[in-house]
Amino acid sequence: MNTVEASHKDRQQPQRSGERVQKVLAKAGFGSRRACEKLITEQRVRVDGQIAQLGCRVDMRTSVVEVDGETIVELPARVFYLLNKPVGVVTTVSDTHGRPVVVDFVPAKPRVFPVGRLDMSTGGLLLLTNDGDLAHRLTHPSFGVEKDYLVHVMGCPSPRTLRKLRQGVPLSDGITAPAKVSPVSSSVLRLKIKEGRKRQIRRMCETVGHPVERLIRIRIGPLTDKQLQPGSWRHLTDSEIIALEEAVAL
């Protein structure tokens, strides 16, 4: 690129002070950092009328940021909701088939998004927030945040089967990391994993010959609540937020 072309590009994409646009979107509740980067690469974000580029910086005191034509008026304070997701609810913010989604159960404002996923036939604890940085760390495997599940399976797993689950199960996308497994009863297991592959626990149990009949998540890192009923939610306490941040080294 010659000097004239570089100068012209600089005028088209002026350098701004402030925060990166993907971080602004995450704070506004448009999703995790990765989801917000996807919005930008799909050219759905504009800054002061121009299509935003990954990494460009914006000052919300002076810039106008739009997503799909919707202007971000202000950045809300961080919010954290713990939801006991009922079975039959989709872990998304919208659904083209009209099925119930997890954000239907929490306040509409400020905008929040689910951290990680529970498939439609799985219930239990789910975190919803507008904190993109924390969400990214909670779902990234390098931070190793442990999740606990109660797993009702067909049949009675033998000690040998439990050893297979603990050592790692070969799946189509690779061998799983070692899991912590303890029997609750003859056909109910408590299973702890740090990965978050799609339908991972169901696939693991099916591979070892004991398909899942019922699956409930009962803990996310330091978060647990035996009193929270399906379909109910609550705010996290200050101590829970601090514990989450410590769990992901924020």
Side-chain angles (χ1 to χ4, degrees):
M1 182 184 296
N2 61 36
T3 304
V4 174
E5 290 174 329
S7 176
H8 178 65
K9 185 175 181 180
D10 288 342
R11 288 197 300 271
Q12 286 184 316
Q13 297 290 336
Q15 295 298 314
R16 296 180 173 90
S17 60
E19 292 188 303
R20 289 175 298 165
V21 65
Q22 54 262 46
K23 190 170 184 178
V24 169
L25 297 180
K27 284 185 176 181
F30 282 91
S32 66
R33 188 168 63 190
R34 182 176 300 175
C36 292
E37 290 173 351
K38 187 171 184 287
L39 289 175
I40 297 167
T41 57
E42 291 175 348
Q43 299 189 346
R44 296 166 60 187
V45 182
R46 288 181 176 267
V47 176
D48 295 334
Q50 294 187 354
I51 294 175
Q53 304 296 322
L54 275 176
C56 76
R57 294 182 175 273
V58 297
D59 186 339
M60 290 301 293
R61 296 170 298 180
T62 58
S63 300
V64 177
V65 181
E66 300 170 277
V67 180
D68 295 332
E70 175 187 348
T71 302
I72 300 175
V73 179
E74 61 180 347
L75 297 181
R78 295 192 309 168
V79 293
F80 303 89
Y81 303 136
L82 186 64
L83 170 70
N84 188 340
K85 185 188 93 66
V87 171
V89 175
V90 185
T91 308
T92 56
V93 297
S94 62
D95 184 69
T96 56
H97 301 290
R99 296 172 296 185
V101 295
V102 291
V103 295
D104 294 337
F105 292 84
V106 299
K109 298 291 182 180
R111 182 196 300 265
V112 295
F113 55 90
V115 179
R117 300 181 70 88
L118 289 176
D119 63 56
M120 191 172 177
S121 52
T122 299
L125 297 184
L126 181 72
L127 179 66
L128 296 99
T129 184
N130 58 356
D131 188 329
D133 285 341
L134 182 61
H136 171 73
R137 290 181 176 232
L138 284 172
T139 54
H140 198 284
S142 65
F143 291 94
V145 177
E146 198 170 66
K147 292 96 173 173
D148 286 22
Y149 298 81
L150 279 181
V151 191
H152 298 246
V153 299
M154 296 178 62
C156 302
S158 66
R160 181 181 179 185
T161 298
L162 299 186
R163 283 197 300 272
K164 290 180 180 179
L165 293 171
R166 294 184 183 116
Q167 293 169 355
V169 179
L171 302 178
S172 60
D173 51 356
I175 298 177
T176 63
K180 297 178 182 177
V181 186
S182 56
V184 177
S185 67
S186 60
S187 60
V188 179
L189 307 175
R190 180 164 181 161
L191 199 151
K192 305 179 183 183
I193 61 173
K194 294 182 179 180
E195 296 178 296
R197 305 189 202 182
K198 187 175 181 179
R199 299 178 65 84
Q200 178 176 339
I201 290 178
R202 294 180 184 277
R203 293 160 62 204
M204 290 170 64
C205 292
E206 186 171 357
T207 298
V208 299
H210 295 276
V212 172
E213 292 187 321
R214 184 167 180 258
L215 181 60
I216 302 293
R217 184 156 69 186
I218 59 175
R219 186 170 70 90
I220 307 169
L223 301 180
T224 186
D225 191 330
K226 296 180 180 179
Q227 306 304 316
L228 197 63
Q229 297 299 308
S232 298
W233 66 275
R234 65 171 175 82
H235 290 278
L236 293 193
T237 65
D238 289 343
S239 60
E240 286 175 326
I241 296 171
I242 292 171
L244 272 181
E245 292 176 334
E246 290 176 346
V248 295
L250 266 178

